[in-house]
Amino acid sequence: MNATINGVNYYYEWFSEYKANRSTVVCFHGFTGTSQTFAPVFLKELEFNILAIDLIGHGKTDCYVHPYRYQMDCLCQDIAILTEQLGIFKFSLLGYSMGARAALGFARLFPQKIQQLILESGSPGLKGKTERILRKYSDEHLAGFIMSHSIEAFVEKWENLPLFTSQKRLSIQVQETVRQERLAQRNFGLACSLWFMGTGVQPDFWPELDKIKVPTLLIVGELDHKFQQIAAEMKERQPAFLIETVSNTGHCVHLEKPQTFEKIVTSFVTSPPEDS
């Protein structure tokens, strides 16, 4: 399905029959992904609605729009309007990697809309100015590579990053599905995502963590030591956060162990509030 928000055509999909009397979980994919990354996770009928959205520059959502439309605040404002048009005024938000950073940005801008927050392999950004400058340079360099090479050359480079090593243990069929999802992206959209919504230009959300009062779950893979450490530091900033470490998985938990991931999300979303 499609909806035009502030001049950008967004693609979204329900992974379950929408029922107004149920709560809704909105899903944000990661960089080079689409809403379809969550399709193998939510295969059965659940107690809640599942809404997945192709973020700007990815999948079937518009790519060739003014670059400022890629800024995180613009994206979050668009999602707020989109969900309201669908009659959803409060929901749980699940984000993976880039999508987790966007989910944090959304929770910062629209805390009144969030019931629960689920961040898979997410980061609040970089704390130091020097770190951000170096990462911005790195993101710009990668964006330049994307714009000057074929999408095939970029995907070959991307899928061989150490971050995704554990994905090479997946079945050939699953690996090929992920590869085709990446190959279907457009160079301009990926480059703009890095230029205007990459980690290097993202605001530092670390000081905002203690302001998040909704139930928040951090999901990380046992083999993803970098993001395990980030999750531990996030919990230090906000002790109410919960951490779920999934054994024998890397950065993309929902891809490597979809059934386990679905059980974790379902348990968290359907758990009664602590004060009930």
Side-chain angles (χ1 to χ4, degrees):
M1 300 180 186
N2 298 84
T4 300
I5 311 295
N6 291 327
V8 178
N9 187 48
Y10 281 88
Y11 176 82
Y12 64 92
E13 185 168 336
W14 294 102
F15 287 144
S16 58
E17 179 187 354
Y18 175 74
K19 296 181 180 178
N21 63 336
R22 299 192 302 194
S23 62
T24 295
V25 175
V26 176
C27 303
F28 290 173
H29 60 78
F31 182 66
T32 76
T34 71
S35 56
Q36 298 310 299
T37 190
F38 295 107
V41 177
F42 302 111
L43 293 172
K44 63 184 182 182
E45 188 70 17
L46 300 170
E47 298 175 43
F48 45 89
N49 304 309
I50 298 288
L51 173 65
I53 302 170
D54 284 0
L55 302 183
I56 191 168
H58 289 73
K60 298 178 183 178
T61 288
D62 278 352
C63 161
Y64 300 108
V65 295
H66 195 287
Y68 86 86
R69 302 293 298 118
Y70 282 80
Q71 294 178 72
M72 186 176 288
D73 282 5
C74 289
L75 169 67
C76 293
Q77 289 161 7
D78 287 350
I79 299 300
I81 296 171
L82 172 59
T83 50
E84 287 179 6
Q85 285 190 2
L86 296 174
I88 307 165
F89 298 94
K90 198 162 187 176
F91 50 87
S92 296
L93 185 53
L94 161 63
Y96 160 65
S97 200
M98 178 190 78
R101 293 191 291 106
L104 268 175
F106 189 96
R108 166 177 158 266
L109 285 176
F110 302 102
Q112 75 282 4
K113 290 183 174 292
I114 301 299
Q115 291 175 314
Q116 296 159 308
L117 196 56
I118 305 169
L119 306 176
E120 176 193 0
S121 304
S123 165
L126 300 172
K127 300 174 186 176
K129 183 177 180 181
T130 300
E131 282 183 290
R132 287 196 296 276
I133 291 173
L134 291 174
R135 180 55 184 266
K136 185 173 182 288
Y137 175 80
S138 175
D139 287 346
E140 289 175 348
H141 180 75
L142 182 57
F145 180 91
I146 293 171
M147 291 301 290
S148 60
H149 291 74
S150 67
I151 193 70
E152 290 81 6
F154 163 68
V155 169
E156 179 72 20
K157 179 184 180 74
W158 183 253
E159 64 188 7
N160 282 296
L161 290 176
L163 191 66
F164 305 123
T165 298
S166 58
Q167 293 181 19
K168 296 184 183 298
R169 303 177 306 173
L170 296 169
S171 70
I172 298 300
Q173 181 181 2
V174 171
Q175 290 188 59
E176 184 59 24
T177 297
V178 174
R179 180 175 173 80
Q180 291 305 314
E181 184 179 39
R182 290 168 174 162
L183 288 171
Q185 305 291 353
R186 293 149 297 182
N187 301 60
F188 184 78
L190 296 181
C192 281
S193 292
L194 288 170
W195 280 323
F196 298 97
M197 204 174 69
T199 305
V201 295
Q202 175 187 311
D204 175 8
F205 291 152
W206 285 95
E208 309 288 328
L209 295 182
D210 60 356
K211 299 175 184 176
I212 298 177
K213 304 303 181 184
V214 297
T216 299
L217 174 65
L218 312 178
I219 302 177
V220 290
E222 179 188 28
L223 306 178
D224 189 0
H225 303 298
K226 174 182 176 179
F227 280 83
Q228 275 191 66
Q229 181 61 36
I230 290 172
E233 292 180 17
M234 290 173 71
K235 186 171 175 62
E236 286 180 13
R237 292 290 186 106
Q238 174 47 289
F241 286 179
L242 301 174
I243 299 177
E244 186 78 45
T245 303
V246 180
S247 64
N248 202 30
T249 59
H251 190 64
C252 190
V253 179
H254 75 266
L255 175 67
E256 297 182 42
K257 289 198 175 179
Q259 293 179 327
T260 300
F261 187 84
E262 183 268 321
K263 289 177 182 177
I264 291 170
V265 171
T266 298
S267 176
F268 181 71
V269 171
T270 58
S271 296
E274 290 186 2
D275 58 355
S276 63

